[in-house]
């Protein structure tokens, strides 16, 4: 497991750098924040259910970090597409799934969107291993300065992972409002 985590973190750094480069952000300008950031590994077990339609997996959500890499042992991940319908992700036991998170949506000023996803129950035991990277607990993230100008205003308030954790205990979370939605500004020229 230790070797897997080290390999996934190396892959995560490479993919994060590629996404940053696609935004014309020099990855070395954010290297310190990424290196000092958080790397969370979550192992989830979804036991066999004789009636999968009557049990739940994980409710719809987005991950707060920059990027999540997911390994799953059996199908069960769904993503919400642009027309608001749920789609089963293709399953390949040798493949990893990469999801962008809320921090990447904020950093890109809405150019990239965090992926709404859920885990559904199935008729097989299922394990998923999610590796999430984010900035450090109190490190504020905001839209990259050069992605904000007269033609494209800032669409998001700055936030930190700690702000996200505080949100989880708030009434907004209990009302099923996504954290990223609380960060969106009401911008007249364009809505995200």
């Amino acid at each position: 497991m230790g070797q897997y985590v080290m390999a996934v973190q190396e892959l995560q750094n490479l993919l994060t750098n590629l996404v940053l480069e696609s935004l014309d952000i020099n990855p070395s300008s954010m290297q310190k924040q990424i290196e000092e950031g958080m790397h969370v590994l979550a192992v989830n077990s979804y036991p066999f259910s004789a009636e999968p339609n009557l049990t739940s997996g994980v409710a719809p959500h987005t991950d707060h970090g920059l990027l999540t890499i997911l390994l799953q042992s059996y199908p069960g991940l769904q993503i919400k597409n642009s027309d608001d319908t749920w789609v089963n992700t293709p399953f390949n036991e040798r493949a990893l799934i990469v999801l962008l998170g809320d921090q990447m949506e904020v950093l890109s000023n809405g150019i990239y969107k965090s992926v709404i996803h859920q885990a559904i129950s199935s008729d097989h035991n299922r394990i998923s291993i999610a590796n999430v990277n984010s900035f450090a607990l109190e490190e504020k993230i905001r839209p990259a300065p050069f992605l904000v100008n007269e033609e494209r205003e800032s669409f998001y308030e700055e936030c930190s992972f700690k702000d996200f954790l505080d949100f989880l205990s708030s009434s907004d979370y209990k009302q099923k409002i996504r954290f990223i939605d609380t960060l969106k500004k009401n911008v007249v020229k364009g809505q995200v």
Side-chain angles (χ1 to χ4, degrees), residues 83-133:
D83 66 1
D84 217 26
T85 58
W86 288 105
V87 178
N88 294 324
T89 59
F91 177 73
N92 179 333
E93 63 187 20
R94 294 176 161 196
L96 300 170
I97 295 174
V98 179
L99 305 169
L100 296 179
D102 293 345
Q103 288 185 348
M104 191 63 77
E105 184 170 332
V106 170
L107 182 66
S108 73
N109 199 26
I111 293 171
Y112 292 128
K113 304 290 185 203
S114 54
V115 179
I116 301 172
H117 57 285
Q118 66 181 1
I120 57 172
S121 295
S122 72
D123 56 357
H124 285 79
N125 290 328
R126 179 175 175 266
I127 294 175
S128 71
I129 302 171
N131 191 307
V132 182
N133 75 329

Side-chain angles (χ1 to χ4, degrees), residues 127-147:
I127 294 175
S128 71
I129 302 171
N131 191 307
V132 182
N133 75 329
S134 72
F135 281 24
L137 185 65
E138 298 200 19
E139 177 83 25
K140 293 288 186 179
I141 191 161
R142 65 192 55 82
F146 71 92
L147 294 174

Side-chain angles (χ1 to χ4, degrees), residues 26-172:
N26 182 347
S28 63
S29 70
M30 301 189 82
Q31 185 175 355
K32 183 178 179 189
Q33 289 107 320
I34 291 170
E35 285 178 1
E36 293 178 356
M38 298 172 52
H39 295 274
V40 177
L41 179 75
V43 179
N44 299 300
S45 174
Y46 305 94
F48 161 81
S49 173
E51 300 182 65
N53 294 335
L54 300 177
T55 59
S56 62
V58 174
H61 66 284
T62 56
D63 295 334
H64 179 65
L66 290 164
L67 193 99
T68 298
I69 295 180
L70 181 71
L71 173 67
Q72 54 183 352
S73 66
Y74 192 79
L77 179 70
Q78 293 184 326
I79 60 170
K80 190 174 264 193
N81 67 16
S82 59
D83 66 1
D84 217 26
T85 58
W86 288 105
V87 178
N88 294 324
T89 59
F91 177 73
N92 179 333
E93 63 187 20
R94 294 176 161 196
L96 300 170
I97 295 174
V98 179
L99 305 169
L100 296 179
D102 293 345
Q103 288 185 348
M104 191 63 77
E105 184 170 332
V106 170
L107 182 66
S108 73
N109 199 26
I111 293 171
Y112 292 128
K113 304 290 185 203
S114 54
V115 179
I116 301 172
H117 57 285
Q118 66 181 1
I120 57 172
S121 295
S122 72
D123 56 357
H124 285 79
N125 290 328
R126 179 175 175 266
I127 294 175
S128 71
I129 302 171
N131 191 307
V132 182
N133 75 329
S134 72
F135 281 24
L137 185 65
E138 298 200 19
E139 177 83 25
K140 293 288 186 179
I141 191 161
R142 65 192 55 82
F146 71 92
L147 294 174
V148 177
N149 54 45
E150 290 177 7
E151 296 164 9
R152 184 171 178 86
E153 297 180 41
S154 173
F155 294 129
Y156 301 89
E157 300 290 341
E158 69 177 17
C159 66
S160 69
F161 195 76
K162 182 179 181 318
D163 296 331
F164 170 70
L165 295 176
D166 292 342
F167 168 80
L168 292 179
S169 62
S170 73
S171 61
D172 283 342

